[in-house]
Amino acid sequence: MARFKGRFVRQQEKDRRVQLSELVSDRNVADHTKNTEATDTYQSIWLPGERRIFEPYQVSKDLKAGCTDCGSTLHITDIVTKTNCGLGFIMYILCECGSMNAIKSGKVHHDAAKFKTRPIFDINSKAAIAMYDTGLGEHKTNRFLADLNIPGISASSLAKREKEVSRSIKKVTDESLDRSLEEEKNASFSSTNEETENIPIKIKYDMGWQKRGSGRKYDSMSGVGVAIGNETGKVLEREIRSKNCRTCSYWEGKGTEAAHHDCPRNWYGTSKGHGT
């Protein structure tokens, strides 16, 4: 008989339990070492408490697609490094065969206006649309992301995405105005019942400045005017007048003519004349 952890057992049973305990202990040490190495790797890539925006379906699809060389399924735990691209990011995952695979955090697209360009993450373009929709600027957007522990996006990246989505927004706006004008013409024709090629329509006009006037001082740098259909109540046309262009102002301060650019300045009169 022998004692094992305060109990009397047979010597053979004691030897078996001691051997089993040693195997479990060795396995725990190996697992702890492996987890420690993995934790050190993660800490060098991800910050504690850091949050990220990614598309689970797209990432899962790319991981299941496998390695580009051997076709083996990839695992996100095998990440070696990452590249930030605004709110999106690219993970570089090492396969068992030694091949490095780039896995994107979401869908991407390319600038149709350029022949060759880097992939643009959809989430960055969506962020620019959200800024237009909510009226937030670059500073408040990044403050909002910082409060969520999500890495922000640079002002230059947001400016590029704003220019990108502004073209689509303008196109959709023009199409909407054309439809509204046709609806107003049809409504005016129904109300007059006159068969004529030129249908007169009645409109209402309103305008506003982006900066409130004090009653004695009107110095807003931009203003907008809209024409509203009398029958449908929809906006038929709009016009924006701006006295400011940061690019032109910058080069004018240096005494140099600015290069060709998309200049928003289209008004050189007084601020009161914005709405005329």
Side-chain angles (χ1 to χ4, degrees):
M1 298 292 290
R3 290 178 63 88
F4 181 78
K5 292 187 177 181
R7 294 184 180 182
F8 288 99
V9 294
R10 295 181 181 180
Q11 185 65 39
Q12 184 179 1
E13 179 65 13
K14 177 183 177 181
D15 295 339
R16 188 186 70 82
R17 293 189 180 186
V18 169
Q19 184 180 6
L20 182 61
S21 298
E22 291 175 351
L23 290 175
V24 172
S25 178
D26 293 340
R27 187 182 65 180
N28 290 338
V29 171
D31 291 343
H32 176 72
T33 303
K34 182 178 180 180
N35 292 335
T36 302
E37 293 176 354
T39 302
D40 293 340
T41 303
Y42 285 142
Q43 288 180 350
S44 63
I45 298 175
W46 311 108
L47 297 176
E50 178 183 357
R51 294 183 175 91
R52 283 289 182 169
I53 301 174
F54 73 99
E55 300 179 33
Y57 175 80
Q58 188 66 29
V59 173
S60 176
K61 179 181 176 181
D62 293 342
L63 291 174
K64 290 180 179 179
C67 176
T68 55
D69 289 343
C70 66
S72 300
T73 302
L74 300 174
H75 303 280
I76 197 171
T77 53
D78 296 329
I79 182 173
V80 176
T81 184
K82 72 178 189 304
T83 299
N84 295 330
C85 303
L87 295 178
F89 57 96
I90 302 175
M91 298 175 289
Y92 295 93
I93 297 178
L94 184 64
C95 180
E96 296 176 352
C97 68
S99 176
M100 190 70 71
N101 296 265
I103 303 297
K104 300 177 180 64
S105 62
K107 294 181 181 178
V108 297
H109 62 278
H110 295 269
D111 191 351
K114 297 181 180 179
F115 175 73
K116 188 176 181 180
T117 179
R118 295 182 61 184
I120 302 169
F121 280 86
D122 290 3
I123 184 63
N124 294 333
S125 300
K126 289 286 187 180
I129 295 175
M131 289 175 59
Y132 275 118
D133 185 41
T134 59
L136 294 178
E138 175 267 332
H139 181 66
K140 289 188 176 180
T141 298
N142 280 317
R143 283 184 59 185
F144 174 78
L145 294 173
D147 290 338
L148 297 177
N149 287 349
I150 299 176
I153 181 172
S154 65
S156 59
S157 296
L158 280 176
K160 292 178 181 178
R161 300 287 69 78
E162 284 180 308
K163 290 181 180 179
E164 175 196 8
V165 301
S166 65
R167 295 191 293 265
S168 300
I169 292 176
K170 186 177 184 301
K171 180 181 178 181
V172 173
T173 301
D174 292 338
E175 293 174 354
S176 177
L177 292 175
D178 292 340
R179 289 195 301 268
S180 298
L181 182 58
E182 289 298 324
E183 292 178 10
E184 182 67 26
K185 289 169 61 177
N186 294 333
S188 299
F189 176 78
S190 300
S191 62
T192 57
N193 293 324
E194 295 181 3
E195 295 184 0
T196 176
E197 183 177 353
N198 297 322
I199 303 174
I201 60 175
K202 297 180 181 180
I203 65 170
K204 304 171 185 177
Y205 180 79
D206 194 11
M207 62 82 54
W209 294 277
Q210 269 57 59
K211 181 179 179 182
R212 179 182 297 177
S214 63
R216 292 177 297 177
K217 184 179 181 181
Y218 296 89
D219 57 353
S220 178
M221 301 302 292
S222 61
V224 59
V226 293
I228 305 171
N230 187 63
E231 298 293 335
T232 61
K234 295 183 178 181
V235 176
L236 308 181
E237 188 56 79
R238 54 86 179 88
E239 183 67 29
I240 300 174
R241 291 182 175 178
S242 175
K243 298 172 58 178
N244 185 39
C245 175
R246 296 182 63 181
T247 302
C248 292
S249 299
Y250 174 80
W251 289 108
E252 286 173 359
K254 291 182 173 292
T256 307
E257 184 178 356
H260 178 72
H261 62 283
D262 187 11
C263 182
R265 182 186 293 177
N266 58 2
W267 182 253
Y268 298 90
T270 63
S271 295
K272 282 188 175 182
H274 279 152
T276 59

